[in-house]
Amino acid sequence: TEPFDSPFAMAGAFRPDGGAYAGVSEKGRVVVRDLPGGEVRCQFDVERVSRGCEIVFSPDGQTLAVVGSKTWFFDPMTGEEKIERLIDGTPNALSFSPDGRLLATAIKHGGEVRVYDIESRKEVYLFRMGSIFDVSFTPDGRHLLTANGNGTSYVIRLESLD
């Protein structure tokens, strides 16, 4: 497998079915490769990628979220942008719910966890809790786990949206 166009990869992720992986270089080049073999599926550029950037596949593998100067959502088969505007701010962490309906974001310096309904493109939850480094859904999608800058973690119960 060939390396990315930069000697320093900033972030990477496997598609949930293990059939592909994606990475983003310090120059903002995103490359999606098939597995096995590493053939390039698509590649495209994003703006201003920095340390702590994030790249995440949706649970069904049909969407690739990339955080740089903003957050982009791409079709990992074609590299075409799928969702133009969803997130307020520039998060340092993203997590799709297991069913792919929700997207949680953590904004370290703003101290916010925001949860968006992807279909309606609306914010459905907002939690403020200081410096946040990471956020993750539980396997059943009913709770969020945060990793906070003060060394604590919180488990947040999400009320049903149905």
Side-chain angles (χ1 to χ4, degrees):
T1 301
E2 297 175 24
F4 295 115
D5 68 339
S6 169
F8 191 72
M10 301 299 287
F14 284 101
R15 195 171 66 199
D17 67 2
Y21 68 93
V24 60
S25 76
E26 66 183 346
K27 295 179 182 177
R29 170 63 49 125
V30 177
V31 179
V32 180
R33 295 179 183 267
D34 288 329
L35 288 174
E39 294 178 34
V40 174
R41 164 75 58 185
C42 69
Q43 54 187 325
F44 48 90
D45 296 309
V46 295
E47 299 169 6
R48 292 184 283 183
V49 175
S50 62
R51 291 186 195 277
C53 69
E54 185 87 6
I55 186 168
V56 180
F57 279 97
S58 62
D60 65 4
Q62 301 300 308
T63 301
L64 181 64
V66 182
V67 177
S69 60
K70 66 175 191 170
T71 303
W72 295 271
F73 298 88
F74 296 99
D75 180 326
M77 302 294 281
T78 65
E80 292 181 28
E81 193 167 1
K82 291 178 75 168
I83 303 170
E84 285 191 30
R85 175 91 169 108
L86 177 66
I87 294 176
D88 293 324
T90 303
N92 54 287
L94 301 172
S95 180
F96 283 96
S97 63
D99 63 7
R101 290 180 41 220
L102 302 175
L103 179 74
T105 66
I107 301 177
K108 178 169 70 173
H109 298 296
E112 296 179 342
V113 172
R114 294 175 184 254
V115 181
Y116 298 88
D117 179 291
I118 294 171
E119 186 175 323
S120 72
R121 298 184 182 185
K122 292 185 179 176
E123 181 183 297
V124 292
Y125 297 105
L126 170 62
F127 305 99
R128 290 188 172 93
M129 58 183 59
S131 182
I132 304 161
F133 292 119
D134 202 5
V135 63
S136 181
F137 279 92
T138 55
D140 66 6
R142 294 182 182 174
H143 297 83
L144 286 174
L145 174 67
T146 66
N148 305 318
N150 63 2
T152 62
S153 292
Y154 290 98
V155 176
I156 303 167
R157 184 176 187 279
L158 303 176
E159 299 296 324
S160 174
L161 296 174
D162 297 329

